[in-house]
Amino acid sequence: MSDILVEQRSMGGSDLGGPLRFQNAIVFWVQCNQVELEKRLSSRTDQMMAKGLANELLDFYERYTQPQLEVGRDIDYTRGIYQAIGYKEFHDWLNLAEDERETQKGEELLRKGVEQLNLVSLRYTKKQIKWIRKRFLQEPTREMPPVYALDASDPDKWNEEVRDRAFSILDAHLKGEPSPVAPLPVEESKREERKAFRCSTCSKVLIGERQWVAHTKSRVHQKLKAKQRKKDRKGDPEEKTQIEK
C-alpha cells in the first residue's frame, strides 16, 4: 500500500480515498418519480428534434464520418465523440443515401433512432442513480456528508418542495440545529468486502475476489502466465497475495 493511502486512512479516510475535504458539507439530491422522468426524457428528445437535431447529425456525418467510410475505415462507436449518446443511435438512418432518407424506410429508421435515443437516455439515468446511491449511501466505511432528497416531480410545487425545503435544511445546518427534514438513510451495501490482492505475474493489484477471478481468466493474464511457465518450467499454482490494510 502506498504511503499516500496510509496517510489518508489515518486521517479518517477509507479504502476509497481520504476524509471529506470540507467537513461542513451537505448534499441535495433533486429527484423525480420514474413516470415523470420518462416523460421528461421523451419530451426533451422531441424538443431536440424540433430544434434541428437531425440536421446537426447529418452535418457531422458528412463532415467527419462519411469521409472515413469512403476510404474504408470502420467507425468505432466506443471511442471519442462517437460514443456520445445521440449519434450512434441514428447510425442506420445516417448511412442511407440522401434520397432514401426521404422515403418511408428513411422515416422508419429516423423514428427508430429517436426511440433508441430515449431508451439509451433512460438507461443512462438509471446508471447515474445507481452511482449516486453507491457512492453516497452504500459506503458505511467512508466518511460521507448527509444527503437530502428533494422531490421535483411536480414543477408547480418547485418552490415548496425544492427551493424552500432546501433553504430550511441549509439554514438549520449553518446554525447547528436539527434539520427539519431527515437525510436519506445509509443503505446496506451489497458490495463484497474490498480486499486487495496482488498478481505476481502481472504486477497488478485487484480489489475484491470478483475482480481477482475475472483477472485470472483474462487473455492478457493467461498469456503472461504461459510465458512465465515456459520460462521456469515449474507450472506453480497462481500466486495470490492479500494486501494487508
Side-chain angles (χ1 to χ4, degrees), residues 25-42:
I26 59 175
V27 175
F28 291 121
W29 184 6
V30 181
Q31 305 171 317
C32 71
N33 64 59
Q34 189 66 25
V35 174
E36 184 63 27
L37 177 61
E38 293 181 17
K39 285 172 55 179
R40 291 178 184 178
L41 289 174
S42 179

Side-chain angles (χ1 to χ4, degrees), residues 24-233:
N24 202 31
I26 59 175
V27 175
F28 291 121
W29 184 6
V30 181
Q31 305 171 317
C32 71
N33 64 59
Q34 189 66 25
V35 174
E36 184 63 27
L37 177 61
E38 293 181 17
K39 285 172 55 179
R40 291 178 184 178
L41 289 174
S42 179
S43 175
R44 185 184 68 173
T45 301
D46 291 341
Q47 292 176 27
M48 291 166 64
M49 292 298 294
K51 292 181 179 180
L53 175 61
N55 290 332
E56 285 187 33
L57 294 173
L58 280 173
D59 181 64
F60 185 90
Y61 176 83
E62 291 170 357
R63 286 170 178 261
Y64 304 105
T65 306
Q66 196 170 39
Q68 295 189 59
L69 295 174
E70 289 174 351
V71 296
R73 293 179 183 170
D74 293 329
I75 302 301
D76 186 352
Y77 285 106
T78 65
R79 296 175 63 86
I81 189 63
Y82 287 107
Q83 64 183 317
I85 295 175
Y87 184 76
K88 57 184 179 296
E89 289 74 25
F90 295 88
H91 170 86
D92 293 339
W93 176 71
L94 290 169
N95 282 337
L96 291 175
E98 184 175 354
D99 56 343
E100 280 190 288
R101 297 192 190 112
E102 305 299 326
T103 65
Q104 182 178 352
K105 178 182 178 181
E107 293 178 359
E108 290 176 354
L109 289 177
L110 182 60
R111 184 166 56 251
K112 179 182 175 183
V114 171
E115 292 173 354
Q116 282 296 112
L117 176 55
N118 284 330
L119 182 63
V120 173
S121 297
L122 179 59
R123 190 182 303 145
Y124 186 63
T125 64
K126 291 180 178 179
K127 287 184 178 180
Q128 290 177 315
I129 293 172
K130 183 178 180 180
W131 186 91
I132 292 172
R133 288 195 175 281
K134 183 177 180 181
R135 282 289 179 266
F136 289 91
L137 301 174
Q138 295 179 349
E139 295 289 351
T141 63
R142 189 181 187 189
E143 188 179 13
M144 288 292 178
V147 179
Y148 295 91
L150 302 173
D151 187 2
S153 298
D154 187 349
D156 293 333
K157 296 182 178 180
W158 173 269
N159 287 349
E160 57 188 281
E161 295 292 340
V162 180
R163 186 197 65 182
D164 295 345
R165 182 164 296 193
F167 283 165
S168 65
I169 295 170
L170 182 60
D171 185 58
H173 187 74
L174 292 175
K175 292 178 180 179
E177 300 174 352
S179 172
V181 179
L184 293 173
V186 175
E187 303 171 1
E188 183 179 351
S189 178
K190 298 179 180 179
R191 178 174 52 81
E192 64 176 316
E193 187 179 354
R194 299 179 73 91
K195 294 179 180 178
F197 301 99
R198 188 188 306 279
C199 174
S200 59
T201 301
C202 305
S203 298
K204 190 173 183 179
V205 174
L206 294 309
I207 306 299
E209 191 75 29
R210 203 174 292 176
Q211 277 195 22
W212 169 259
V213 173
H215 171 71
T216 56
K217 293 180 179 179
S218 68
R219 184 179 302 177
V220 173
H221 173 80
Q222 294 292 340
K223 189 174 181 180
L224 289 174
K225 190 64 180 175
K227 286 184 178 179
Q228 179 182 324
R229 285 174 177 161
K230 188 180 293 184
K231 183 178 180 180
D232 56 29
R233 299 295 182 183

